[in-house]
Amino acid sequence: MYTKPKIIAIAAVSGGGKTTITSRLNQELNNSRAIYFDDYDVEGPEDIIDWVDRGADCNEWSLKPIITDVNNLINSTDVRYILLDYPFSRLHRNLKTIDLTVFIDTPLDIAMARRLLRDFRNTNTEVLMDELSNYLSRGRIGYESMLKTTKPNSDLVVDGSLHIDKIIKIIIDAVNN
């Protein structure tokens, strides 16, 4: 008998743990498949800060390839959970079929440190300083925007400073209830 898979979206600011949590959940949940937003070449605003200044309407992003893959997985008989590493929670009008939205609420200093370690490990100091200056002058408002939009529209908010095992347990408990 066919049962529609449960769709679980994991959101966080950049460096907040979306990919790590989604990957780990994919290992822990039987018959799950993960979709990672960053694996797709989706069309969206060219200037993210301008987009945030205009209200950060996630419907300006074309999610067609992601939606196609989600729909294909929904119709698959061997998938019980679809995990979305995805920044918009239920806010995009074309992807409302999500059953559980989780926001990993990672303190911004931790998220920034993780992002710098991930993306700038082999970069010279000047490039790193430019990135930090950009974050302070413009980029931080993008992070703050998610805290004002995505976080309050999530079903479950988990402290991103917790150990990954604790975060996974909290999410799996929510999935099972």
Side-chain angles (χ1 to χ4, degrees):
M1 183 171 148
Y2 171 78
T3 303
K4 178 189 167 289
K6 223 178 229 188
I7 302 173
I8 304 161
I10 309 297
V13 298
S14 180
K18 292 182 299 295
T19 301
T20 300
I21 298 301
T22 301
S23 297
R24 181 72 178 279
L25 280 171
N26 198 32
Q27 294 171 357
E28 299 288 328
L29 294 171
N30 292 328
N31 301 322
S32 64
R33 301 294 182 279
I35 291 176
Y36 300 91
F37 183 83
D38 289 343
D39 287 348
Y40 291 83
D41 187 20
V42 295
E43 293 178 32
E46 288 184 30
D47 184 329
I48 298 299
I49 302 307
D50 175 62
W51 173 69
V52 169
D53 287 343
R54 290 184 286 108
D57 180 2
C58 60
N59 293 301
E60 291 184 38
W61 295 80
S62 174
L63 302 179
K64 289 176 188 173
I66 294 174
I67 293 167
T68 297
D69 285 354
V70 168
N71 287 334
N72 287 338
L73 287 172
I74 287 172
N75 295 320
S76 175
T77 57
D78 65 334
V79 176
R80 186 167 177 204
Y81 302 100
I82 299 171
L83 307 171
L84 297 175
D85 169 341
Y86 172 71
F88 302 134
S89 187
R90 265 191 213 96
L91 298 173
H92 197 286
R93 68 175 159 256
N94 295 326
L95 196 52
K96 296 260 188 199
T97 59
I98 298 169
D99 298 295
L100 176 67
T101 58
V102 179
F103 187 83
I104 309 301
D105 191 14
T106 305
L108 297 185
D109 62 325
I110 294 173
M112 174 51 82
R114 288 178 182 167
R115 196 171 80 74
L116 292 174
L117 289 168
R118 178 189 72 205
D119 297 345
F120 298 91
R121 181 171 299 280
N122 298 314
T123 303
N124 68 44
T125 305
E126 186 177 325
V127 172
L128 185 57
M129 294 298 113
D130 286 346
E131 181 62 25
L132 288 169
S133 292
N134 181 57
Y135 172 79
L136 291 172
S137 66
R138 298 184 48 174
R140 192 169 196 276
I141 66 168
Y143 288 64
E144 291 170 336
S145 174
M146 285 193 78
L147 298 177
K148 294 175 188 167
T149 59
T150 307
K151 179 180 173 181
N153 283 288
S154 298
D155 301 315
L156 176 64
V157 176
V158 181
D159 180 352
S161 64
L162 294 173
H163 188 277
I164 188 170
D165 292 337
K166 179 68 174 165
I167 294 171
I168 295 301
K169 181 181 181 337
I170 291 168
I171 295 171
I172 289 176
D173 287 349
V175 167
N176 290 331
N177 288 331

